Amino acid sequence: MTEKNLKTELANVAFDSPLLNASGIHCQTADELADLAATANLGGIVTKSATLLPRQGNENPRYYDLAYGSINSMGLPNLGYPFYLDYVQKEEAKPTILSVAGLSADDVIEVLRDVQNSDYQGLTELNLSCPNVIGKPQTAYDFVATRKVLERVFEFFTKPIGVKLPPYFDLVHFDQIAAVLNDFPLTHVNTVNSVGNGLVVDIEKEQVVTKAKGGFGGLGGAMILPTALANVRALRQRLNDSIAIIGTGGVTTGADVFAHILCGADMVSVGTQVIKEGLEVYDRLTQELQEIMDEKGYTSLADFRGKLQEL
């Protein structure tokens, strides 16, 4: 097998691999973040989506493993943004993406003002799409509200920042969100967050499998791959070329990573499969991706990125 160039870039930040962890997966504590920093085939580290104040999240059980993926209702548990902002300013092993979220627009602005005023010069990602905070809608499903938040952010924020989006299911919605995002100097979009709100039923017990919200939760893993690929493809066709894409959702094999990049993803993050398999999954995915590239005669990601053919 010939040597493959798996390097990629996001907002002029160089990554040795296109693979990332999905925010929320093995990235909440100092020990978990240290594990990611030591993972050889992981290109960069995405922090847990950090809120203004620390959060315990929803009650347990809040994650349930399925043969075809997972359902969760985590509710943004995190240690509060000062912890993660401190971490990304000290991390030297890998490039970082600081994920931030808010329970209100005012919370978001307060967090991002501190990021702006800090010494951190890396990438930030504004999570507009958590489906599991009780009583709080996903901002990015409201296109007017999304525009208003971004207008407030870019009144003062000058550092590289992207947004994490929920899945969209209608072609008109792709048009509408792209029309908003293209008006701002975003570095990237991360698509998709978990697919809310699903419901899993335990037939033997005749009950739901997670506690919060009566069992409704975000779906992830293999079953959402077609939805994730559709969102990567549709947004790549509509967004400014200057806005990169992180493809998230459904990755279980190197072929899935290849498909995300073929649809237009610059990087690919892995969530549920890390829980199922551990951080060793990145070694396997890298090997499988390289084997596919070798079979096709590709030596770099640029050889096939965004080159999906239509019938």
Side-chain angles (χ1 to χ4, degrees), residues 60-101:
N60 288 314
R62 56 189 187 184
Y63 176 88
Y64 190 83
D65 193 59
L66 302 164
Y68 45 87
S70 65
I71 185 170
N72 85 87
S73 184
M74 300 301 291
L76 285 179
N78 72 95
L79 301 179
Y81 84 92
F83 170 82
Y84 301 101
L85 181 56
D86 180 66
Y87 170 79
V88 295
Q89 291 180 87
K90 294 177 178 177
E91 169 58 32
E92 296 180 350
K94 297 181 186 297
T96 57
I97 299 177
L98 173 65
S99 179
V100 300

Side-chain angles (χ1 to χ4, degrees), residues 121-198:
Q121 299 299 322
L123 290 157
T124 299
E125 183 174 284
L126 174 57
N127 185 349
L128 298 175
S129 57
C130 180
N132 294 318
V133 178
I134 297 172
K136 300 294 181 180
Q138 296 185 64
T139 300
Y141 279 142
D142 184 332
F143 304 122
V144 173
T146 297
R147 181 178 292 278
K148 288 180 178 178
V149 169
L150 292 177
E151 285 174 345
R152 291 184 65 184
V153 168
F154 284 105
E155 285 177 356
F156 66 91
F157 202 84
T158 60
K159 296 179 177 180
I161 187 171
V163 294
K164 187 168 188 179
L165 299 175
Y168 299 101
F169 301 96
D170 192 294
L171 293 179
V172 172
H173 293 157
F174 291 122
D175 294 338
Q176 291 173 324
I177 190 62
V180 173
L181 301 179
N182 281 336
D183 284 344
F184 299 94
L186 295 165
T187 57
H188 70 279
V189 299
N190 188 336
T191 181
V192 298
N193 208 328
S194 57
V195 179
N197 278 278

Side-chain angles (χ1 to χ4, degrees), residues 244-262:
I245 292 180
I246 299 173
T248 302
V251 173
T252 63
T253 68
D256 301 332
V257 177
F258 184 91
H260 267 280
I261 297 171
L262 188 66

